[in-house]
Structure formats: C-alpha cells, structure tokens
Amino acid sequence: MNSEKSRMNFLFLSLASLLMLLGVAMGAFGAHGLRGILSEQSMTIYQTAVSYQMWHGLGLGIIAAFSQHPPHSKLLIWAGWLMFAGVALFSGSLYVLSLTGIRWLGAITPFGGLAFLIAWGLVGVYGWRNFGKMP
C-alpha cells in the first residue's frame, strides 16, 4: 500500500475513533447532565444525534478497515469523507438544535442525511465492484 493510502487509512481510523469517543461523551452528558433540563422533544432530538454519530463513526471505522486491503478505491475515500461530513452536518445540527432551540438548524440536517446516503451507496458500489476479488 502506498503512503498516501496508508495515511488515509490511519486518518479515517483516527476520525472514527474521535467520533465514537465524542459520541460516548455526548451520550453520557445527555443522560446525566441534560435530563430534566431539556424537554422530552429536545431530548429525543439529542438522542437521535448521538445514535447517528455512533453508527456512522462505526461506519467510518469499517471504511478504514476495508481501505487497508486491495483493491484500493477512491469510492471508499469519498465515502469516508461523506460519512464524516454527514456526522458534522446531521448530528451537529441536531445537537445545536436540541440545546438551543434554534429551529432553522433543522434545515441543515437533511444535508447530513444525504451525505450518509451517498456514503453508504458508495460503499455498496465498492462492494459490488469488488465482490469475489478480495482474498
């Protein structure tokens, strides 16, 4: 594996770990620090942000793992960046919305969801193209 691909693998693994670490911290903060402070609706929004962050942090880790082995693909690089951007847009907007009540932030959330959809689609295309090629 060339050094650029190796750096990308480690970058995605590092970002995945950061997303998961922050997801656990945000989940604990929500469960222990925000109960009774946020309304039930805001708490549900907050929990959705944590859930999507955790799942997509794991997804980014999976992308990092697949990127370590041939065949290498720009599809996985794009998928990784879109997965990370999706967390920032989707979960980030929901965190701020739930904590501040700024409703217009809800308009940003679908862009994060779209990034997730495209990322998973790219992972699927990668899998389809390489079915049977991996050891």
Side-chain angles (χ1 to χ4, degrees), residues 5 67 71-78 126 129-130:
K5 290 191 188 314
S67 295
H72 302 294
S73 174
K74 290 187 186 275
L75 290 172
L76 290 180
I77 293 170
W78 275 101
Y126 171 82
R129 286 184 182 174
N130 294 290

Side-chain angles (χ1 to χ4, degrees), residues 103-127:
R103 306 304 285 167
W104 66 265
L105 287 169
I108 296 171
T109 309
F111 291 106
L114 181 61
F116 289 150
L117 291 170
I118 295 170
W120 286 114
L122 292 174
V123 171
V125 169
Y126 171 82

Side-chain angles (χ1 to χ4, degrees), residues 8-24 48-66 76 79-92 95 112 115-116 119-120 123:
M8 191 61 59
N9 296 343
F10 287 117
L11 176 61
F12 283 161
L13 181 60
S14 297
L15 290 174
S17 298
L18 178 64
L19 290 176
M20 299 296 283
L21 181 145
L22 291 174
V24 171
T48 299
V50 171
S51 177
Y52 274 73
Q53 179 172 339
M54 294 298 288
W55 282 110
H56 290 88
L58 182 60
L60 185 55
I62 291 168
I63 290 169
F66 275 107
L76 290 180
W81 285 117
L82 285 167
M83 193 88 52
F84 186 74
V87 170
L89 294 170
F90 187 90
S91 293
Y95 286 133
F116 289 150
W120 286 114
V123 171

Side-chain angles (χ1 to χ4, degrees), residues 33-50:
L34 297 176
R35 289 257 185 243
I37 295 173
L38 294 182
S39 68
E40 187 176 324
Q41 180 183 12
S42 291
M43 197 65 183
T44 299
I45 292 169
Y46 188 91
Q47 289 169 340
T48 299
V50 171

